[in-house]
Amino acid sequence: QLQLQESGPGLVKPSETLSLTCTVSGDSITSPTYYWGWIRQPPGKGLEWIGSIYDSETTYSNPSLKSRLTISLDTSKNQFSLKLTSVTAADTAVYYCARLLSGYDGSGFFYYFNYWGQGALVIVSS
Amino acid sequence: QSVLTQPPSASGTPGQRVTISCSGSSSDIATNTVTWYQQLPGTAPKLLIFSNNQRPSGVPDRFSGSKSGTSASLAISGLQSEDEADYYCAVWNDSLNGPYIFGPGTKVTVL
């Protein structure tokens, strides 16, 4: 059974770097079928797409975060990671990692997250 | 700020049909497929509908999705107490260099 588990510091100081890792079990992150991505949700608010990765050459990032964002794969550990630099209080959120599918079917272009981790709360505060 | 529009809330009594709308534009819903996610209180979102109207295995058939032009809808038929949750539509947006856009969410309350 597929499981995704976020891990990383729960508290980050302003201007520092937020780093999270998603450990995947039950599937390989090198699977040709899937992408892997990150989504966040500020407390009491809606969902925001952060970005996704297929391989080291294929990544997509939210333009509003792109200058601060790095998403990478560690195939030896079956993990993928998120690094967000120069954080502020606005980056306080529950961060979810997820597996996603993207491509074309009879209805058109699809892009959706079909399995989610449980989420990790990261608070940005001094 | 989301470029998708959803009503902030919807409600119904058990057994009723509830419909949630998701309004977008020619750069997103009109050209790409719509996904719906359900988020029960205190849990991670769960895939509910993909490719406009497809249900993943395990999702009850009382949930259905549709799309027409720049709008999409999620219908819950035979509303049950366990359907009380937040529902988000989402779609890939071509005009913004491809960010994946979530709607602001609709809170469904079972009266």
Side-chain angles (χ1 to χ4, degrees):
Chain A
Q1 178 157 349
L2 178 66
Q3 289 189 320
L4 298 97
Q5 180 66 59
E6 305 88 351
S7 60
L11 180 64
V12 181
K13 289 182 168 55
S15 79
E16 296 190 343
T17 296
L18 182 160
S19 296
L20 290 172
T21 295
C22 183
T23 300
V24 179
S25 57
D27 194 4
S28 170
I29 62 169
T30 60
S31 166
T33 305
Y34 300 110
Y35 287 67
W36 306 90
W38 293 94
I39 309 96
R40 70 181 182 179
Q41 185 172 35
K45 297 188 178 181
L47 301 168
E48 180 182 29
W49 176 75
I50 297 173
S52 60
I53 185 167
Y54 180 73
D55 55 31
S56 59
E57 304 293 324
T58 309
T59 60
Y60 298 95
S61 301
N62 190 320
S64 69
L65 301 172
K66 190 170 185 175
S67 64
R68 301 191 291 130
L69 180 66
T70 302
I71 298 176
S72 60
L73 296 173
D74 186 338
T75 56
S76 66
K77 296 180 180 179
N78 215 40
Q79 297 174 333
F80 61 103
S81 299
L82 162 74
K83 290 188 188 302
L84 189 65
T85 62
S86 305
V87 297
T88 69
D91 296 309
T92 293
V94 174
Y95 286 76
Y96 296 100
C97 63
R99 187 181 77 175
L100 77 98
L101 282 156
S102 181
Y104 289 88
D105 62 16
S107 297
F109 178 73
F110 61 85
Y111 183 103
Y112 59 88
F113 296 96
N114 66 347
Y115 275 98
W116 297 61
Q118 65 184 27
L121 174 62
V122 179
I123 296 172
V124 178
S125 175
S126 55
Chain B
Q1 187 163 350
S2 176
V3 297
L4 298 178
T5 303
Q6 294 182 240
S9 63
S11 62
T13 57
Q16 278 191 327
R17 175 183 172 93
V18 170
T19 302
I20 302 167
S21 61
C22 176
S23 178
S25 72
S26 59
S27 299
D28 41 62
I29 291 180
T31 53
N32 300 313
T33 66
V34 177
T35 304
W36 290 90
Y37 299 94
Q38 177 194 58
Q39 187 174 30
L40 297 170
T43 69
K46 167 191 162 185
L47 178 66
L48 195 65
I49 297 286
F50 66 95
S51 292
N52 302 328
N53 55 18
Q54 301 299 302
R55 283 188 308 276
S57 174
V59 172
D61 61 6
R62 65 176 184 275
F63 293 95
S64 62
S66 63
K67 186 184 98 167
S68 178
T70 60
S71 294
S73 293
L74 173 71
I76 311 174
S77 302
L79 190 66
Q80 298 185 8
S81 58
E82 58 261 38
D83 299 333
E84 189 159 290
D86 293 319
Y87 293 84
Y88 295 90
C89 60
V91 67
W92 189 264
N93 187 297
D94 292 328
S95 69
L96 299 179
N97 199 26
Y100 188 58
I101 304 296
F102 287 96
T106 298
K107 170 68 176 177
V108 169
T109 301
V110 182
L111 301 171

